[in-house]
Amino acid sequence: MRVSRVQAEENRQTVITVASRLFREHGFDGIGLKDLMEAAGLTQGAFYKQFESKEDLAAQASTRALESAYCRWTAAATANPEDPLGPVIGFYLSAGHREEKTDGCPIVALGSDAARHGVAVKASFEAGIRTHLDVLERLISETQGEEFKSKAMAILSLMVGALTLSRVVNDPGLAQAFLDTAAAQVRNIAAA
């Protein structure tokens, strides 16, 4: 049975969205096409009509995941115009975000996987990281301080590293200490 072009595009977008979540949970190589397509409500045969390869899907799903993360950062920042960086720090360096496997930070969830993939996946990540840096530069400039670009790089590195470390330890106290310490240091960097 043939599907309309509109339905085919809706199916394609569904696969990208589902893949963006499942790749964050399982890694690019941790889920097969059969399971991924099944989670999207489609057959595996439909995959190659929509994507050139799993790598193609990985690049598009990475873009979708990073766009979603950008939207979360922007929404958090607009929640408190007096201190736009505060809500971003609050949600990003939280126990709740640490536990989010499917909707959490794609840089943390897939960064090491992306480093082992091709140019298209890395390009998706680079574009997303640049967008995150732009947001941080804007937030820092709205609060105080100078040297926005280097501060934004230090803050993003610190936040991503702290969230990563908090996810890989068993001790909940140590995990929370990574997040709390990073939050304090991010404030110090932004204020300097």
Side-chain angles (χ1 to χ4, degrees), residues 2-192:
R2 295 191 49 86
V3 296
S4 70
R5 286 193 168 123
V6 171
Q7 185 61 53
E9 182 56 26
E10 288 176 8
N11 290 348
R12 185 179 186 300
Q13 294 305 317
T14 297
V15 172
I16 293 169
T17 299
V18 167
S20 79
R21 299 181 82 230
L22 291 177
F23 285 152
R24 280 181 273 180
E25 182 177 6
H26 301 286
F28 293 126
D29 297 327
I31 186 162
L33 292 179
K34 179 180 179 280
D35 292 332
L36 198 149
M37 294 301 286
E38 186 176 292
L42 299 167
T43 64
Q44 185 174 350
F47 177 84
Y48 291 103
K49 293 176 184 169
Q50 299 173 2
F51 303 98
E52 293 177 20
S53 62
K54 189 175 179 185
E55 181 84 2
D56 176 34
L57 175 59
Q60 293 184 49
S62 296
T63 297
R64 176 74 45 87
L66 287 154
E67 287 169 351
S68 173
Y70 164 79
C71 290
R72 288 181 77 181
W73 280 43
T74 302
T78 58
N80 185 356
E82 301 297 316
D83 176 23
L85 184 59
V88 173
I89 295 167
F91 101 79
Y92 192 90
L93 295 172
S94 69
H97 189 220
R98 179 183 70 233
E99 297 304 319
E100 284 184 22
K101 302 299 188 241
T102 58
D103 290 319
C105 178
I107 301 167
V108 171
L110 294 169
S112 62
D113 277 3
R116 292 185 292 273
H117 275 262
V119 173
V121 171
K122 288 179 183 177
S124 294
F125 270 82
E126 183 175 332
I129 289 167
R130 288 182 186 276
T131 301
H132 279 70
L133 289 170
D134 290 343
V135 169
L136 284 170
E137 286 177 43
R138 190 181 75 244
L139 296 179
I140 295 166
S141 71
E142 289 176 8
T143 53
Q144 66 256 357
E146 295 180 17
E147 302 172 8
F148 306 129
K149 188 174 288 299
S150 63
K151 284 184 179 184
M153 287 183 171
I155 289 170
L156 183 60
S157 299
L158 180 60
M159 289 173 55
V160 168
L163 186 60
T164 300
L165 291 170
S166 76
R167 285 185 175 182
V168 300
V169 298
N170 289 320
D171 180 351
L174 180 58
Q176 192 60 49
F178 279 124
L179 299 176
D180 294 343
T181 301
Q185 293 303 313
V186 166
R187 287 267 185 220
N188 290 340
I189 292 167

